[in-house]
Amino acid sequence: MVKKLEFKSYKDMPIRAMTLSTMMWNLTGSWRNVRPYYDFKTSPCIAGCPTSENIQKYIYLVTEKRYEEAWSTIIESNPMPAITGRVCFHPCMSKCTRKDYDEPVNINAIERSLGDMGLDNPGWMTKVKGTESQKVAVVGSGPAGLSCAFYLARAGFTVTLFEMEKALGGVLRWGIPEYRLTNEVLDRVISSMLEAGPIEVKTGVEVGKEISLEELEKDFDAVFLGTGLTKSRSLGMDGEEGDGIEAGLSFLKKVNGGEKVDPGKRVVVIGGGNTAMDVARCAIRSGSEVTVVYRRTINEMPAIEEEIEEAEREGVKFHFLAAPLEIKRNGDSLTSVVFQKMELGKPDESGRRRPVAVEGETFEMEVDRMFSAIGEQADLEGIDGMLDCEWNLIKADQKMGQCSREKFYAGGDVVTGAASVVEAIAAGRKAAEKMIRGFRGQSEPEEIEDRIVGIDDMNIDYFTKVKQNRVPRIPSEEIKGTFREIKTGYTDELLEKEAERCFSCGVCNYCDNCWVFCPDVAIHRRENEYEIDLDYCKGCLICVEECPRNALSTREEGK
Amino acid sequence: MKKVIMGNHSVSHGVMASEVKVISAYPITPQTHIVELLSEMCGNGDIDAKFIKVESEHSAMAACVGASAAGSRAFTATSSQGLLLMHEMLHWAVGARLPIVLANVNRAVGPPWSIWTDQNDSLSQRDVGWLQIYCESNQETQDTIPQAFKIAEELQMPVMIVLDAFFLSHTYEIVDIITKEEVRKFLPEYKPEIKIDTKDPHSFGNLGGPDVYMELRYMIQEAMEKGIDVIKRVDKEFEEVFGRGYGLIQPYRCDDAETILVTSGTVSSTTRAVIDQMRDEGIKIGSLKIRVFRPFPFEEVFEVLSKAKKVAVIDRNISFGNGGIFYQEIKSALYGRTDIPIVGYIAGLGGRDITPSVIREIADKAIGDDKPERYINWIGVKK
Amino acid sequence: MKPAVMPLEELMGSGHLACQGCGATQAMRFALKVLGPETALVIPACCWAVIDGTFPHSAVNLPIYHTAFETAAVVASGLKAGLEMRGDTETTVMAWAGDGGTFDIGLQALSGAAERNDDIIYVCYDNEAYMNTGIQRSSSTPVGAWTTTTPVTNYKREPKKNMIDIMAAHSIPYIATASTAYPHDFMAKVKKAKSIRGTKYIQIFAPCPTGWKMAPELSVKSARDAVTSKVYPLLEITEHGQKLKVWKDFEPTSVRDYMKVQGRFRHLKDEEFDQIEKDVEMKWQRLVAKEKMLASIPGLIE
């Protein structure tokens, strides 16, 4: 504490008014009636991410070139950024504050870059030994199962991972084409995850048929079911079983399995979801002319927007408001399909307008091959009866995955119906966390309501309009005959530039504004934080006003 | 080296010999020759000083304040209106305790415009806290400059030396010119401990509350009081080097004088001639020149005047509503210690000549009037 | 942590006597960060005469000379001369005055120093009125403003004095305007000024929440809006008045929005705002035209 100098006698004084000490004795904090304080809020991207990746934080770390920490930040909530960075429908980006300013930050591409760095730096993944006594069976090695197994193993629990196919990955392997997610990347991701902790893999084992749930219940302390949707929905048409007509999923499985498939010259794909897009884009790569027929309009298509755009770019034609009515053959060979024209009626339970047939209006399309991609279903053989099921899905707590029997948890598409990779990852992780808390006798964490920051809460004077950095890609005309990955990912330079675009909504990213503008020198710049010196802060609140990202709040003194 | 030079130039020579580092001035008659010669001296390298040619006397003093605060010896010269314009900064120099030396050529204040001598310009700065030394000859003027710096720097107080317009400023006299080398034996290089210095940063002159202001003013008064001894000692030191000394006051034939005429400036020389003449006539009369006006040498003045029967003060100035300013000062020096009649005579305002006959008139009046009715008498006013 | 956006060294400390949200105080802090410890300040009567603190205490760890109202520039000249004559040629001398001490009472001494091209930096922190004495109008007060001597019944009818043109007429080597909302710009200008010999004049727009009847947290915002609304253009005049550079790389904002958050303009009617907006635009156009014109003439001094 600096003391105010006072003179007892003129003999102690300098002969002229001349300073001998600082003004630090003058604690101007007493002038204040409102106090500022650092109060970080939730970035909308984080709130928009099903698995709550700390997007703001890892992008900030990228701007600092602290890539390992950035990667580790993702791993806290998503063990496979190299995959989600390629295939995620990135709801984070549609929540990004920047979309209300110029264009959203390409979070997805940043995530991919970090995911790839993680694969290139295997040392970043900490390896955990089995330290806990409990064992868990995880059934299904799609995103839900892998995620659940990973988080359990990382906490030291022993996991046995059951997969009915020969290779791990589930829908990631057989449902997503190479040009979006290569098997090579998938293999590397899976092996890095398996190395992270005590996970025993059992492939080619169909739980529910070869091993019963009862056995698992007996042998394990908990069971997670992440078996996904493995059966294609049928069109329900006459002649559907014949030659030239195939479920899109089965076509994708063959293509993804490396089989050479000739889909024929004129291909029609029925459906508007991601599977339909994947099928269409695989077919076009095999040299076919592809038309997607969807019974609603483009606005109702459940496929990721980007996928639709890519398909269009690659030459896929779209025919909206039509549904197959009749299959025509010459002998066994498919020759054409008659379509019923549709129009949109009143909204159904899903909120989308129901397609209704326009009486008497049909048209015929000559085709060599028709793929149906109107949806997939769960195979609940061996599950239904043991666990409560509903709508042909396992009934489980949507948040934590708890099923109707104590030891059982489920997550991913088998609980939600067709959803996304990231939602499955979230479900797997949350189930794992719930189990861990149960094993360790920990109580459930308190739920904190997100205070999400939007554009109106920001001081946008500090931002300048900068277009999103486009992800380098191979040209559309080169896609024929190749399943090469289309997007080649950001270069280091682009990664940094794109990361710099992040507003860091609601969270301090050390822009220094508060420190710069404090007239009272009452904000101390410390290692990775600022500290308000309440001894001197006069409460002008410039720091609060000038924080571009709403990372400070105010409180009246004495309240 | 002896030379015949004008009074203004004797100031310039004193400044050169004192190795002043910063000069700042603004032109005004009858001071201008001082700075003209100094400009020349700066130009030809006779003096290693920066000359800041400012746009006003106010700025001249302000520039000196800055330069002196930075630890350099600073000088300015002015006169009359110029000195009055400086007034605010004269105060500043005192409060800041800066040893600036200023040469003021006594010139009457307008209106009407007057360029001729009287003391109202410098005497109206009586209370700002500058030491004031009134000179009588070109030699004394020159010699008083290094003395003034020595006094100023020791006391950390500014000093004003005063010379009469034209009677000194423009009058040529023989002057034994002092040199830098000689002055160095008397006046050490100015190296103040406290100054504007980034290695020892202080803020000077910021807000001082009622809790400190009086003490700071008390110390200024203390310096003034200490000044009497310092001036005496410095004068003696000067005499040791140069063989010339001037004292605080200069009594002339006062030992047995019944009447003493008190003077200042060039009037003192004229007065001495009249004294000699009257002594020849057998009149017991003497004169006392007041050289140092601030600090006022109370004791020295008392010592001389208390032996007389009558004191007449010749003032080339007027404090309107009261009287001659020296007259007031003399009265206050003798007050309560003696009952000698003290009479004031106002003469020579605005450059009107104070000739021997004027002085004789004053002397005769003083001697003849045992019980003066008026203590403030205007001499030579056309009635 | 990221590298700091401005130098870490603080030559100005806490405990000073500035009001909440004081622009003049921010400006000082910014300037000292680039000037560094080899700097001496001259401060005339102005808010900063008080902000610095009470004897024997100072909030600034630099030599400061407090001086009379009208003498900032010339005391700085004298100080610089005095320092040089005792062998200190390194210290930067900066006069730091308010708009009253610059536009009004200090104009003569500033003109003198500028004409002599004395080697000083003169910064005028412009808060557009005599704030320290309690908000009286100065010749820097903008048209339309309330002050205690221009009450709403008789608000200021005269436009702000164009101090920049006055300084430009002195052909000094460097003139700039700045705003507390753009500290990096200001610091760059101070740095540039430090590197140039001669008289450098920088006028920084420094909001006074107290005097402008405005919430203190709006201090920086109003400093920013003044620039983006073209009320207070950021410019540099170099080559002894021969070249002008006006900063134009901003999204223009509304003059009305800038003025409306300030209580000192609250009494103005719509048509008065209209007139002020027109004036601002006209002055801006003239400034930009002047920049173009000057750019087209080859400089006289190499």
Side-chain angles (χ1 to χ4, degrees):
Chain A
M1 238 329 269
V2 176
K3 273 201 171 157
K4 184 179 182 183
L5 286 184
E6 279 174 47
F7 302 109
K8 285 208 176 69
S9 158
Y10 79 92
K11 288 175 188 142
D12 306 329
M13 286 171 74
I15 59 163
R16 52 177 73 78
M18 175 179 119
T19 60
L20 305 169
S21 180
T22 71
M23 284 295 289
M24 296 296 279
W25 54 269
N26 187 27
L27 302 181
T28 53
S30 63
W31 304 12
R32 186 181 58 239
N33 45 29
V34 185
R35 131 187 339 205
Y37 64 100
Y38 290 94
D39 179 27
F40 300 167
K41 300 161 192 89
T42 305
S43 310
C45 53
I46 301 175
C49 176
T51 193
S52 311
E53 280 182 19
N54 196 338
I55 296 164
Q56 173 279 326
K57 185 176 172 190
Y58 72 71
I59 294 185
Y60 165 70
L61 291 166
V62 168
T63 65
E64 289 249 273
K65 294 200 168 84
R66 290 154 68 184
Y67 299 125
E68 184 176 349
E69 289 166 76
W71 177 85
S72 301
T73 303
I74 304 183
I75 297 301
E76 293 299 314
S77 41
N78 169 11
M80 50 190 105
I83 291 172
T84 46
R86 285 170 165 83
V87 305
C88 190
F89 75 112
H90 46 69
C92 51
M93 286 170 64
S94 41
K95 292 281 161 54
C96 176
T97 308
R98 256 203 118 109
K99 81 173 191 312
D100 299 323
Y101 183 71
D102 48 11
E103 292 180 319
V105 174
N106 196 338
I107 300 165
N108 190 233
I110 294 171
E111 182 185 45
R112 174 191 162 158
S113 294
L114 288 170
D116 287 354
M117 284 185 210
L119 295 180
D120 293 340
N121 294 281
W124 288 0
M125 183 73 89
T126 44
K127 281 138 187 110
V128 172
K129 291 211 175 89
T131 52
E132 307 284 332
S133 59
Q134 290 92 339
K135 291 180 295 176
V136 181
V138 172
V139 183
S141 68
L146 280 174
S147 166
C148 184
F150 176 82
Y151 287 105
L152 285 164
R154 227 165 76 111
F157 295 94
T158 306
V159 177
T160 306
L161 179 60
F162 295 93
E163 170 57 51
M164 66 175 183
E165 301 282 344
K166 285 195 193 84
L168 297 181
V171 70
L172 300 171
R173 186 171 297 278
W174 46 257
I176 300 176
E178 278 276 298
Y179 59 84
R180 284 177 63 202
L181 173 62
T182 64
N183 282 335
E184 188 232 336
V185 169
L186 178 61
D187 289 341
R188 288 173 73 191
V189 169
I190 292 172
S191 69
S192 77
M193 286 169 67
L194 296 180
E195 279 168 24
I199 303 174
E200 189 197 345
V201 173
K202 289 195 170 167
T203 50
V205 181
E206 218 171 326
V207 171
K209 291 168 191 170
E210 292 163 53
I211 302 174
S212 69
L213 294 191
E214 286 86 347
E215 281 173 76
L216 294 182
E217 189 179 34
K218 196 154 57 75
D219 294 345
F220 291 92
D221 296 291
V223 179
F224 177 79
L225 301 169
T227 49
L229 307 177
T230 49
K231 292 197 300 188
S232 287
R233 210 184 285 268
S234 72
L235 289 166
M237 292 172 70
D238 285 342
E240 193 183 335
E241 307 302 319
D243 219 24
I245 298 175
E246 190 180 352
L249 212 53
S250 117
F251 169 71
L252 279 182
K253 262 189 192 176
K254 286 180 208 161
V255 174
N256 290 342
E259 228 176 284
K260 271 262 180 231
V261 195
D262 177 14
K265 190 148 172 42
R266 293 162 303 177
V267 170
V268 66
V269 180
I270 311 299
N274 286 324
T275 306
M277 293 306 104
D278 289 342
V279 169
R281 294 177 65 194
C282 280
I284 212 156
R285 279 171 170 73
S286 306
S288 309
E289 288 166 14
V290 182
T291 306
V292 169
V293 179
Y294 179 51
R295 57 186 183 148
R296 291 179 163 108
T297 76
I298 192 164
N299 301 324
E300 288 80 28
M301 278 178 78
I304 305 174
E305 209 179 301
E306 204 183 323
E307 290 292 303
I308 302 167
E309 282 166 19
E310 293 281 359
E312 271 185 320
R313 202 194 320 248
E314 289 166 10
V316 172
K317 291 188 183 69
F318 286 86
H319 205 119
F320 296 108
L321 293 167
L325 188 65
E326 190 188 347
I327 295 159
K328 289 193 172 177
R329 294 176 187 278
N330 183 4
D332 281 345
S333 321
L334 176 68
T335 53
S336 64
V337 177
V338 177
F339 289 91
Q340 168 69 54
K341 286 196 179 175
M342 312 292 279
E343 62 186 0
L344 294 180
K346 291 201 171 127
D348 63 12
E349 313 88 57
S350 74
R352 296 180 302 173
R353 290 171 70 188
R354 187 195 301 275
V356 279
V358 184
E359 273 312 309
E361 297 234 8
T362 61
F363 64 93
E364 195 171 334
M365 199 188 281
E366 291 188 355
V367 296
D368 301 317
R369 199 74 181 269
M370 179 161 83
F371 293 112
S372 66
I374 57 164
E376 292 82 33
Q377 287 175 310
D379 183 353
L380 297 179
E381 201 186 325
I383 296 172
D384 203 356
M386 178 79 175
L387 300 174
D388 289 358
C389 293
E390 200 175 38
W391 307 105
N392 204 34
L393 299 166
I394 299 173
K395 211 175 152 189
D397 172 52
Q398 289 278 350
K399 266 190 189 153
M400 301 298 182
Q402 178 72 58
C403 297
S404 54
R405 279 176 91 90
E406 201 199 333
K407 279 189 179 179
F408 286 87
Y409 295 80
D413 283 359
V414 76
V415 172
T416 56
S420 65
V421 171
V422 67
E423 285 160 292
I425 290 170
R429 174 174 61 79
K430 285 175 186 168
E433 285 167 359
K434 168 84 177 165
M435 288 179 212
I436 294 165
R437 285 195 293 272
F439 294 150
R440 291 180 176 162
Q442 291 163 339
S443 58
E444 295 298 307
E446 241 180 90
E447 280 201 35
I448 303 158
E449 210 183 315
D450 283 340
R451 289 172 303 153
I452 301 164
V453 171
I455 189 109
D456 295 337
D457 307 314
M458 313 277 280
N459 188 339
I460 57 165
D461 289 344
Y462 286 99
F463 304 120
T464 46
K465 299 214 157 124
V466 182
K467 289 233 172 245
Q468 193 185 86
N469 294 284
R470 304 291 165 216
V471 179
R473 52 187 300 139
I474 59 169
S476 299
E477 52 270 22
E478 285 177 24
I479 60 130
K480 293 251 157 72
T482 172
F483 282 81
R484 259 166 62 201
E485 201 171 21
I486 295 176
K487 293 183 185 169
T488 53
Y490 276 146
T491 58
D492 286 356
E493 192 197 339
L494 287 173
L495 171 65
E496 206 181 309
K497 273 167 75 179
E498 189 59 19
E500 290 291 349
R501 293 182 68 241
C502 177
F503 285 175
S504 187
C505 310
V507 184
C508 178
N509 70 349
Y510 317 109
C511 74
D512 278 351
N513 260 15
C514 52
W515 171 68
V516 164
F517 286 115
C518 179
D520 301 319
V521 206
I523 292 182
H524 302 305
R525 194 178 186 276
R526 306 260 190 251
E527 190 66 33
N528 290 323
E529 63 170 2
Y530 302 98
E531 192 191 312
I532 297 174
D533 191 336
L534 292 170
D535 278 349
Y536 300 105
C537 165
K538 290 172 186 164
C540 71
L541 306 183
I542 287 176
C543 50
V544 179
E545 178 72 20
E546 295 308 313
C547 177
R549 48 205 101 257
N550 199 343
L552 287 109
S553 298
T554 62
R555 187 191 306 142
E556 259 183 69
E557 289 294 346
K559 283 197 178 162
Chain B
M1 186 184 54
K2 286 187 178 170
K3 263 181 146 181
V4 179
I5 58 171
M6 67 158 84
N8 276 342
H9 287 175
S10 66
V11 174
S12 313
H13 281 282
V15 169
M16 179 173 80
S18 301
E19 297 185 272
V20 166
K21 294 295 176 194
V22 178
I23 300 160
S24 183
Y26 184 81
I28 186 167
T29 304
Q31 163 276 129
T32 318
H33 296 112
I34 300 175
V35 294
E36 282 174 355
L37 184 57
L38 284 171
S39 298
E40 220 175 293
M41 289 168 162
C42 287
N44 62 25
D46 287 345
I47 175 169
D48 178 25
K50 275 201 192 299
F51 197 139
I52 306 173
K53 283 138 197 175
V54 285
E55 80 305 326
S56 73
E57 286 89 351
H58 193 278
S59 283
M61 183 46 61
C64 288
V65 163
S68 185
S72 280
R73 197 169 277 163
F75 172 83
T76 187
T78 189
S79 185
S80 184
Q81 315 289 143
L83 185 70
L84 304 185
L85 183 59
M86 274 183 194
H87 179 77
E88 183 194 21
M89 297 316 289
L90 296 178
H91 276 284
W92 209 274
V94 173
R97 304 297 297 268
L98 297 171
I100 299 164
V101 171
L102 177 157
N104 182 62
V105 181
N106 269 153
R107 166 184 152 180
V109 175
W113 282 119
S114 166
I115 57 168
W116 297 277
T117 199
D118 81 27
Q119 298 169 324
N120 256 61
D121 56 353
S122 57
L123 287 174
S124 60
Q125 309 309 317
R126 181 184 65 178
D127 300 333
V128 298
W130 280 62
L131 282 75
Q132 287 195 3
I133 303 174
Y134 286 77
C135 297
E136 184 189 341
S137 68
N138 290 0
Q139 185 71 57
E140 183 184 355
T141 302
Q142 181 207 246
D143 293 352
T144 302
I145 299 280
Q147 285 199 5
F149 277 113
K150 191 160 186 176
I151 295 159
E153 287 162 15
E154 184 166 336
L155 295 174
Q156 295 289 289
M157 291 285 285
V159 178
M160 184 188 299
I161 74 140
V162 186
L163 58 151
D164 290 344
F166 300 102
F167 299 122
L168 273 191
S169 68
H170 286 59
T171 301
Y172 282 73
E173 289 180 349
I174 299 169
V175 174
D176 190 351
I177 304 227
I178 55 176
T179 65
K180 286 179 224 173
E181 294 71 25
E182 290 166 336
V183 170
R184 274 179 207 154
K185 286 180 232 162
F186 160 75
L187 176 65
E189 194 184 340
Y190 182 48
K191 278 187 174 166
E193 201 183 313
I194 299 299
K195 56 187 174 290
I196 293 285
D197 184 355
T198 56
K199 286 172 196 73
D200 179 27
H202 300 278
S203 182
F204 293 92
N206 62 351
L207 201 61
D211 54 330
V212 292
Y213 191 88
M214 259 183 93
E215 284 70 20
L216 290 166
R217 289 301 174 265
Y218 178 80
M219 285 188 275
I220 294 170
Q221 173 67 11
E222 203 179 45
M224 273 288 193
E225 287 170 11
K226 192 179 151 202
I228 295 288
D229 287 339
V230 171
I231 294 166
K232 276 201 276 197
R233 197 197 71 234
V234 166
D235 189 54
K236 217 163 144 204
E237 286 163 359
F238 187 87
E239 199 172 356
E240 279 162 18
V241 177
F242 296 98
R244 296 183 295 272
Y246 301 94
L248 293 162
I249 53 172
Q250 287 175 5
Y252 184 71
R253 301 182 85 163
C254 286
D255 286 348
D256 61 342
E258 289 173 0
T259 304
I260 297 177
L261 302 184
V262 179
T263 61
S264 58
T266 51
V267 179
S268 309
S269 317
T270 320
T271 304
R272 281 190 209 102
V274 176
I275 298 291
D276 286 344
Q277 194 185 41
M278 291 175 79
R279 279 279 180 180
D280 289 347
E281 292 169 21
I283 303 165
K284 286 187 175 168
I285 190 163
S287 74
L288 175 67
K289 170 183 134 182
I290 307 293
R291 178 170 179 256
V292 176
F293 175 72
R294 276 290 178 274
F296 197 80
F298 287 102
E299 282 312 311
E300 290 75 5
V301 167
F302 175 75
E303 183 120 343
V304 175
L305 296 184
S306 57
K307 291 177 198 145
K309 292 199 173 101
K310 257 177 207 161
V311 174
V313 184
I314 304 174
D315 269 301
R316 199 166 217 162
N317 61 75
I318 171 72
S319 171
F320 297 113
N322 192 322
I325 293 165
F326 278 87
Y327 168 68
Q328 297 166 36
E329 299 277 332
I330 297 294
K331 274 207 301 189
S332 78
L334 301 186
Y335 180 78
R337 302 173 77 178
T338 166
D339 52 5
I340 309 165
I342 309 161
V343 189
Y345 299 91
I346 311 293
L349 299 187
R352 186 170 295 186
D353 284 341
I354 300 181
T355 60
S357 60
V358 172
I359 295 165
R360 180 68 194 242
E361 183 191 339
I362 292 168
D364 287 345
K365 274 195 173 157
I367 292 162
D369 200 356
D370 277 338
K371 290 225 163 74
E373 274 172 26
R374 287 180 65 86
Y375 289 89
I376 298 147
N377 301 283
W378 286 67
I379 301 300
V381 175
K382 294 166 191 152
K383 284 187 177 163
Chain C
M1 197 166 180
K2 291 176 183 173
V5 299
M6 63 180 184
L8 291 168
E9 190 182 13
E10 301 287 3
L11 288 163
M12 185 190 92
S14 302
H16 58 67
L17 301 178
C19 302
Q20 292 168 320
C22 174
T25 307
Q26 292 171 316
M28 177 67 93
R29 183 166 167 248
F30 299 148
L32 299 189
K33 279 183 177 282
V34 275
L35 289 173
E38 280 193 30
T39 306
L41 304 181
V42 177
I43 298 178
C46 61
C47 291
W48 252 100
V50 174
I51 295 168
D52 186 28
T54 50
F55 165 71
H57 311 94
S58 167
V60 178
N61 189 24
L62 281 179
I64 299 186
Y65 212 77
H66 290 274
T67 185
F69 216 159
E70 64 280 51
T71 63
V74 67
V75 169
S77 297
L79 189 57
K80 181 71 187 171
L83 289 172
E84 285 192 349
M85 288 313 293
R86 66 165 178 81
D88 175 356
T89 53
E90 292 309 305
T91 297
T92 302
V93 177
M94 174 166 75
W96 185 267
D99 48 283
T102 303
F103 288 59
D104 293 343
I105 195 168
L107 182 59
Q108 175 177 319
L110 172 57
S111 174
E115 183 274 329
R116 294 187 303 273
N117 201 22
D118 287 338
D119 189 18
I120 58 168
I121 299 175
Y122 188 105
V123 176
C124 168
Y125 63 91
D126 184 4
N127 52 29
E128 303 197 317
Y130 290 87
M131 295 311 184
N132 196 37
T133 45
I135 323 161
Q136 292 80 30
R137 67 90 89 179
S138 76
S139 61
S140 172
T141 303
V143 67
W146 161 93
T147 67
T148 54
T149 50
T150 49
V152 293
T153 48
N154 188 19
Y155 62 77
K156 188 160 184 278
R157 311 280 167 171
E158 306 79 21
K160 182 185 177 95
K161 188 187 277 185
N162 188 339
M163 190 64 200
I164 294 299
D165 275 4
I166 292 173
M167 293 314 293
H170 287 75
S171 302
I172 54 173
Y174 188 72
I175 297 166
T177 59
S179 156
T180 52
Y182 298 90
H184 306 296
D185 171 73
F186 175 54
M187 288 190 279
K189 285 167 175 169
V190 172
K191 201 171 175 183
K192 198 169 188 177
K194 185 182 157 109
S195 73
I196 296 170
R197 276 192 77 84
T199 304
K200 289 79 62 175
Y201 178 78
I202 301 176
Q203 189 174 299
I204 180 164
F205 188 74
C208 170
T210 309
W212 296 2
K213 300 215 167 292
M214 173 178 84
E217 66 263 33
L218 296 177
S219 181
V220 175
K221 184 182 162 46
S222 61
R224 184 165 51 240
D225 290 350
V227 173
T228 54
S229 65
K230 304 174 182 172
V231 167
Y232 213 91
L234 295 188
L235 55 84
E236 274 181 303
I237 300 174
T238 52
E239 295 181 41
H240 301 270
Q242 296 179 83
K243 288 287 176 272
L244 168 66
K245 202 169 101 194
V246 184
W247 186 58
K248 299 189 254 341
D249 186 20
F250 54 82
E251 291 276 326
T253 56
S254 135
V255 174
R256 258 189 177 72
D257 289 351
Y258 157 70
M259 296 176 82
K260 282 204 161 161
V261 300
Q262 301 174 34
R264 61 175 174 157
F265 297 119
R266 192 170 295 140
H267 53 279
L268 294 180
K269 296 182 187 73
D270 267 348
E271 50 273 29
E272 289 157 329
F273 277 121
D274 287 343
Q275 189 54 48
I276 290 169
E277 276 185 336
K278 266 189 217 154
D279 285 354
V280 166
E281 187 54 31
M282 183 265 292
K283 281 180 180 156
W284 172 263
Q285 294 299 339
R286 274 210 319 236
L287 188 67
V288 172
K290 192 170 173 185
E291 179 185 32
K292 251 193 200 157
M293 183 270 285
L294 287 173
S296 69
I297 303 169
L300 291 170
I301 299 163
E302 282 302 305

